[in-house]
Amino acid sequence: MLIRPKLEHIRQLVKLGEQNVAESKHKDTYPYDEHFAHNYFKQLIENEHVYIRAISLDDTIHGYIIGAPFHHPWNATLWLGVNIIYVDQCCRGTKWAGALIDDAKEYAKQKGFKEVVMGDNAFDPDRTAVLFKRKGFTLIGNQYGYEIT
């Protein structure tokens, strides 16, 4: 089930964040800081304007997606910028990543946003590119965009 995480989930989110970085091609460039990650997730959860959802199975968090609303710089059009999506290895290939993306698209639609923009996810760009395209996103530079209709 997808949930908006609560403060009680921070430890699990921090652990997943560490896994995310451990799988990253940039783990040496951007070492993991557990204390910073704890504060980061706490701020996200407490900020009602941040979009954050988590995969919760039997009270265990197995993945998350994080984004925030942005205005296009040249007009008042709102879009949801997703900067992190991560799914634990045990849940990959089970449609959970797609469920997170579908939820982001639905959230954006409900909020009246015109677009969802995803970074290329440098942790596994080849795999995420296939997923983003399958979910209707188009590559624009180094990001993927989905226009809300």
Side-chain angles (χ1 to χ4, degrees), residues 37-86:
H38 181 275
N39 289 330
Y40 174 71
F41 281 114
K42 182 178 186 293
Q43 289 174 11
L44 293 175
I45 290 168
E46 291 176 338
N47 186 338
E48 66 185 48
H49 300 293
V50 169
Y51 168 76
I52 180 170
R53 296 291 185 275
I55 302 165
S56 177
L57 305 173
D58 298 323
D59 294 325
T60 301
I61 303 298
H62 290 284
Y64 52 84
I65 188 169
I66 301 168
F70 291 93
H71 279 100
H72 278 285
W74 52 89
N75 62 38
T77 303
L78 280 171
W79 53 283
L80 178 63
V82 173
N83 60 345
I84 299 176
I85 181 171
Y86 180 76

Side-chain angles (χ1 to χ4, degrees), residues 51 65 72 78-82 100-109 113-119 136-138 140 143-148:
Y51 168 76
I65 188 169
H72 278 285
L78 280 171
W79 53 283
L80 178 63
V82 173
L100 289 170
I101 292 170
D102 288 342
D103 188 78
K105 290 166 32 177
E106 183 59 30
Y107 174 87
K109 184 176 183 178
F113 297 173
K114 299 299 181 194
E115 189 174 17
V116 177
V117 177
M118 302 259 195
F137 286 76
T138 304
I140 305 165
Q143 299 181 343
Y144 288 85
Y146 179 86
E147 190 172 339
I148 305 295

Side-chain angles (χ1 to χ4, degrees), residues 25 120-131 144:
K25 296 174 184 176
D120 71 353
N121 198 336
F123 295 112
D124 194 351
D126 297 330
R127 186 178 179 122
T128 54
V130 171
L131 175 62
Y144 288 85

Side-chain angles (χ1 to χ4, degrees), residues 85-105:
I85 181 171
Y86 180 76
V87 176
D88 194 1
Q89 288 191 11
C90 70
C91 290
R92 293 181 192 165
T94 61
K95 309 291 185 202
W96 281 109
L100 289 170
I101 292 170
D102 288 342
D103 188 78
K105 290 166 32 177

